[in-house]
């Protein structure tokens, strides 16, 4: 059996979206809980950002050192294995007796919470070329929904039963999804021959030489999703828990629902790539990110404005994410797995966060302005 023998149905795309969303959501359960967790350990609230940092560092290591194996091993087994390890890490979070142990548990969870990034290129592999953007849009919407649902659900659950219960329920959900994926996901053979792990890691970096537009694609994704999206939602917890809002975890979780607007629009965003409109659309979404951050800075004392900013930003980030992921997967069929801040708050609060996010948006816009020709060159190469 090869990838072409497996039909990417809408049901399979939706299943991929749910599984990816649940996996990526594991990285974000803690964000609305930072104040409650730190109060429980008797530590300053601003130190809670270290938990997010530990999770993201672990995730980055998993992406670099484990994810490339997706191009060389049977992905069904790899997905099941990392999901089981995620369940164990979630249980460790739930029973952590100290801040240090919790940090280490979150770091470990970050390392193995990569099944979503295995599934996303797999969806690209199984899709027809003329519908790849649409399929990636569906799965990416699941990822965004998972991130925002985890923030919403964790706030609600912690409001009733405390923050540890969040990780118990997350572990149960992930275990259930493991069983579903083992039963439903077809057995897909490895795409490439695995020679040595050292050569595999080296090949991650040689892809930059082989694909001219790759650095710019990764820059857009890293600046917008990796930085702006994460610093906004992390800092939002601190903003809403302080004056003038004084929201509890339940109320903070409700605000997270604003981000679900991205899931509604995300399914159709991938069609822009299929229609050849990705370059101007990417620039437009970056501009929207910049405008939303400026508005977040200007109207920081209005909950209505904050909710609108959260919704608009989520749609814009989703647009950048879908378009960059689709372009990434179009570069090479055999390398898709390899292709794939609390400090600011303590220094100056919400205003520093919004100014930093605005600066990042400007940087992303500059990258887009100077990389349009490279994107066009890459599109012409694909056409030929």
């Amino acid at each position: 059996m090869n990838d072409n023998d497996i039909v990417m149905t809408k049901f399979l795309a939706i299943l991929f979206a749910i599984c990816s969303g649940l996996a990526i959501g594991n990285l974000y359960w803690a964000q609305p809980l930072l104040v409650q967790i730190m109060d429980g350990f008797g530590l300053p609230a601003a130190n809670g950002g270290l938990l997010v940092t530990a999770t993201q560092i672990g995730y980055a290591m998993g992406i670099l050192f484990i994810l490339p194996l997706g191009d060389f091993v049977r992905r069904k087994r790899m997905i099941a294995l990392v999901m089981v390890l995620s369940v164990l890490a979630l249980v460790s979070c739930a029973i952590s007796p100290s801040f240090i142990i919790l940090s280490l548990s979150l770091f470990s969870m970050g390392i193995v919470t990569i099944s979503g990034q295995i599934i996303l290129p797999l969806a690209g592999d199984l899709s027809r070329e003329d519908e790849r953007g649409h399929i990636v849009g569906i799965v990416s919407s699941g990822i965004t929904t998972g991130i925002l649902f985890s923030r919403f659900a964790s706030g609600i659950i912690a409001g009733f039963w405390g923050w540890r219960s969040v990780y118990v329920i997350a572990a149960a959900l992930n275990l259930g999804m493991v069983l579903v994926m083992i039963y439903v996901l077809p057995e897909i053979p490895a795409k490439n021959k695995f020679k040595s792990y050292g050569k595999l890691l080296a090949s991650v970096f040689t892809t930059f030489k082989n694909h001219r537009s790759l650095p710019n694609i990764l820059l857009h994704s890293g600046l917008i999703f990796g930085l702006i999206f994460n610093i906004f939602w992390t800092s939002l917890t601190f903003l809403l828990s302080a004056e003038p809002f004084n929201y509890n975890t339940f109320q903070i979780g409700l605000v997270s629902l604003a981000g679900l607007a991205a899931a509604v629009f995300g399914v159709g965003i991938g069609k822009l790539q299929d229609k050849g409109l990705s370059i101007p659309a990417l620039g437009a979404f970056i501009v929207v990110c910049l405008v939303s951050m400026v508005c977040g800075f200007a109207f920081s004392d209005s909950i209505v404005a904050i909710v609108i900013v959260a919704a608009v930003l989520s749609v814009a980030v989703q647009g950048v994410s879908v378009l960059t992921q689709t372009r990434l997967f179009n570069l090479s069929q055999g390398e898709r797995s390899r292709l794939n801040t609390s400090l600011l708050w303590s220094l100056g609060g919400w205003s520093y966060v919004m100014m930093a996010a605005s600066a990042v948006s400007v940087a992303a816009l500059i990258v887009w302005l100077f990389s349009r020709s490279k994107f066009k060159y890459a599109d012409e190469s694909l056409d030929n």
Side-chain angles (χ1 to χ4, degrees), residues 17-18 21 40 58 77 103 111 123 137 198 313 322 329 338 347 372 374:
I18 295 173
R77 299 177 187 177
S103 299
I111 292 177
L313 174 66
V322 171
F329 298 154
R338 282 167 284 174
L347 290 175
R372 286 178 296 170
K374 292 184 179 181

Side-chain angles (χ1 to χ4, degrees), residues 32-42 45 154-155 157-166 237 248-250:
L33 312 177
L34 296 179
V35 175
Q36 187 182 107
I37 291 174
M38 301 315 294
D39 286 344
F41 288 125
S154 65
I157 295 169
F160 285 104
W161 301 299
W163 67 266
R164 294 183 187 276
S165 64
V166 172
T237 299
N248 57 33
T249 55
F250 180 89

Side-chain angles (χ1 to χ4, degrees), residues 35 45 235-248 251-252 300-301 303 345 349-350:
V35 175
S235 301
L236 186 62
T237 299
F238 299 131
L239 176 72
L240 297 180
S241 62
E243 295 287 347
F245 303 107
N246 294 314
Y247 284 0
N248 57 33
Q251 293 168 312
I252 294 173
S300 60
D301 57 348
I303 188 58
W345 181 270
W350 182 255

Side-chain angles (χ1 to χ4, degrees), residues 49-59 102-104 106-108 110:
L50 296 175
L51 297 176
V52 177
T53 301
T55 307
Q56 295 297 332
I57 291 175
Y59 184 56
L102 178 59
S103 299
L104 292 174
L106 288 171
F107 172 76
S108 301

Side-chain angles (χ1 to χ4, degrees), residues 95 158 208 220 230 289 311 319 337 368:
I95 62 176
F208 285 89
H220 286 118
N230 281 298
C289 284
S337 289
W368 175 81

Side-chain angles (χ1 to χ4, degrees), residues 149 159 197:
F149 172 79
Y197 185 68

